Amino acid sequence: MTDSIADRIAAQGITLPEPAAPVAAYVPAVEVGGLLHISGQLPFDDGQLMTGRLGEDRDVDYGQKAARACGVMLIAQMKKALGSLDRVERVVKLGVFVNSAGAFTDQPKVANGASELMEQVFGEAGRHARSAVGVPVLPLGAAVEIDAIVAVKAG
């Protein structure tokens, strides 16, 4: 399965980055009871934080790219926490927070950037439950932040 996941990641043109370090008093991931809880991940493009507010100075396409970038960082955190993506049994849930103007209502479309990536990388095991909510501001002005719950195989 590792080769399959590695092949899928490569097919998406993704090189997993070094997982982001926490910016406050928390840990990036906690494994307990067969689940890996991953703290919210921010979107980076070529090392630069993707910022802005959807419906104000950013559009849905930008938001989808930011959500995908968050998804890439989630996968990097999975690999670091689990030692191998082979241990991913299923992506259970994504929590997607979109920095949104008051009238913006396309948070689900933005969230698809990460949701589609999970299915592309993990196949059927990447299909998950999800919430996608608009918020007035995110840490460091990020456009999107995503956290995750992942079912893991015993290591």
Side-chain angles (χ1 to χ4, degrees):
M1 188 170 185
T2 300
D3 290 338
S4 176
I5 292 172
D7 290 345
R8 290 178 188 169
I9 290 171
Q12 296 299 314
I14 296 169
T15 300
L16 292 179
E18 182 65 30
V23 297
Y26 62 91
V27 295
V30 174
E31 184 180 351
V32 62
L35 295 173
L36 180 67
H37 296 262
I38 305 173
S39 297
Q41 300 296 301
L42 301 180
F44 289 89
D45 183 25
D46 289 329
Q48 298 297 310
L49 180 64
M50 298 177 74
T51 61
R53 178 167 290 126
L54 281 287
E56 184 176 286
D57 59 352
R58 299 296 185 187
D59 62 14
V60 170
D61 184 58
Y62 183 89
Q64 287 174 334
K65 289 176 184 167
R68 180 181 172 90
C70 290
V72 168
M73 192 60 74
L74 286 167
I75 294 168
Q77 293 288 4
M78 289 175 209
K79 185 172 182 182
K80 181 174 183 178
L82 301 174
S84 168
L85 292 174
D86 234 1
R87 290 193 58 211
V88 172
E89 185 173 324
R90 178 164 194 140
V91 178
V92 176
K93 184 173 185 201
L94 297 183
V96 182
F97 303 91
V98 181
N99 186 346
S100 305
F104 185 80
T105 59
D106 284 333
Q107 291 85 0
K109 290 180 183 174
V110 169
N112 284 346
S115 292
E116 292 168 0
L117 175 65
M118 294 302 155
E119 188 172 355
Q120 291 162 351
V121 170
F122 296 105
E124 188 63 27
R127 294 177 51 86
H128 53 271
R130 182 182 84 187
S131 58
V133 297
V135 297
V137 66
L138 285 170
L140 308 175
V144 179
E145 178 178 355
I146 304 178
D147 62 16
I149 301 170
V150 178
V152 298
K153 301 171 188 169

